């Protein structure tokens, strides 16, 4: 089981704002580890949405934003669109394990 | 433009060894900082990081699978090979290779579904 916990599902209506949480602990996110966020459309490979907690790669709309507080990180999506319906994963690099860790994943449903 | 593509068998039997190849373009291990990782995803489940190899010969493995995994790079061929021994039906998953950037992965292959039969 991952050390990064995400809600199994979230939902929102088109145009609304939703947030997806990624809960870690004082040894990872709480200790300052950066978090990356990925979106995975059905049947496709993951695509990075946010890197280093709050940075967007070129081409990712500013509807997507990342933040961190305490032992949790969050992905916010504003102006929800039908094409945002996908699975979302958080991820960080665990220095103590010398490895990459993915969150449990969240399925976003656009109502 | 960075591209990666996974290749290998799509069906293996339990106890066999799986060998997957990631062929990439758009970057080279000759350049400092480069890395390629393998990640897998069982059907309907979360992503699981497996291994990564870097330009400087460093290799990292998932602690839970370390004894079964080997990752190797061929700089001249722009390839990274992953082997997973003693396959089990629980290893049925889509296996992705990805280009490492910072503490994450920015470009991914399309993935290869590997099914393990008992």
């Amino acid at each position: 089981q991952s050390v990064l916990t995400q809600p199994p599902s979230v939902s929102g209506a088109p145009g609304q704002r939703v947030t997806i949480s990624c809960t870690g602990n004082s040894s990872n996110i709480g200790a300052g580890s950066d978090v990356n966020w990925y979106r995975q459309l059905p049947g496709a490979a993951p695509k990075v949405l946010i890197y280093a907690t709050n940075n967007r790669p070129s081409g990712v709309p500013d509807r997507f934003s990342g933040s961190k507080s305490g032992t949790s990180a969050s992905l916010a999506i504003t102006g929800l669109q039908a094409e945002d319906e996908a699975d979302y994963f958080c991820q960080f690099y665990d220095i103590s394990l010398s490895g990459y860790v993915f969150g449990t994943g969240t399925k976003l449903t656009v109502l | 433009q960075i591209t990666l593509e996974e290749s290998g068998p799509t069906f293996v039997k339990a106890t066999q060894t799986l060998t997957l190849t990631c062929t990439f373009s758009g970057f080279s291990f000759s350049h400092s900082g480069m890395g390629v990782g393998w990640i897998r995803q069982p059907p309907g489940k979360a992503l699981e990081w497996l291994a990564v190899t870097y330009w400087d010969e460093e290799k990292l493995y998932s602690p839970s699978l370390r004894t079964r995994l080997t990752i190797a790079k061929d700089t001249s061929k722009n390839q990274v090979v992953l082997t997973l021994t003693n396959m089990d039906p629980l290893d049925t998953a889509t296996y992705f290779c990805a280009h490492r950037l910072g503490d994450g992965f920015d470009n991914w292959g399309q993935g290869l579904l590997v099914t393990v039969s008992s």
Side-chain angles (χ1 to χ4, degrees):
Chain A
Q1 191 71 359
S2 177
V3 298
L4 297 180
T5 303
Q6 301 178 234
S9 63
V10 297
S11 62
Q16 284 189 333
R17 177 181 187 272
V18 297
T19 61
I20 299 173
S21 62
C22 174
T23 302
N25 56 45
S26 58
S27 299
N28 45 57
I29 297 177
S33 294
D34 277 325
V35 176
N36 305 306
W37 288 93
Y38 302 85
R39 176 171 74 175
Q40 186 178 31
L41 297 171
K47 172 188 172 183
V48 60
L49 283 179
I50 299 290
Y51 66 94
T53 301
N54 54 14
N55 297 277
R56 283 187 311 276
S58 61
V60 174
D62 59 6
R63 301 189 297 110
F64 298 90
S65 62
S67 62
K68 190 171 65 172
S69 178
T71 59
S72 293
S74 294
L75 173 70
I77 308 173
T78 60
L80 204 58
Q81 301 177 2
E83 53 262 38
D84 295 330
E85 190 160 287
D87 293 323
Y88 292 80
F89 295 92
C90 58
Q91 173 262 316
F92 84 109
Y93 180 77
D94 191 328
I95 295 175
S96 63
L97 294 179
S98 293
Y100 299 80
V101 178
F102 287 90
T104 52
T106 298
K107 180 176 181 58
L108 169 62
T109 300
V110 180
L111 302 172
Chain B
Q1 179 188 1
I2 291 174
T3 65
L4 306 100
E5 184 173 7
E6 305 86 354
S7 60
T10 55
F11 290 94
V12 297
K13 294 182 179 180
T15 74
Q16 288 185 334
T17 293
L18 173 69
T19 300
L20 297 175
T21 300
C22 176
T23 303
F24 59 85
S25 64
F27 67 97
S28 170
F29 276 116
S30 301
H31 297 141
S32 175
M34 292 298 109
V36 170
W38 284 93
I39 302 100
R40 72 178 180 180
Q41 185 175 38
K45 296 190 177 181
L47 299 166
E48 178 185 21
W49 170 74
L50 300 176
V52 66
T53 183
Y54 298 116
W55 84 103
D56 61 356
E57 307 301 329
E58 183 181 16
K59 302 169 186 178
L60 300 176
Y61 295 98
S62 165
S64 62
L65 293 167
R66 177 176 285 117
T67 61
R68 299 172 53 205
L69 284 168
T70 302
I71 190 170
K73 62 179 177 62
D74 187 328
T75 301
S76 64
K77 293 183 179 179
N78 279 357
Q79 291 181 332
V80 174
V81 176
L82 182 80
T83 60
L84 181 60
T85 61
N86 194 22
M87 292 291 282
D88 182 273
L90 290 176
D91 294 314
T92 293
T94 296
Y95 287 76
F96 298 96
C97 63
H99 173 262
R100 167 255 189 180
L101 179 66
D103 289 339
F105 302 96
D106 63 340
N107 286 275
W108 296 59
Q110 81 274 18
L112 183 70
L113 175 60
V114 178
T115 302
V116 185
S117 64
S118 55

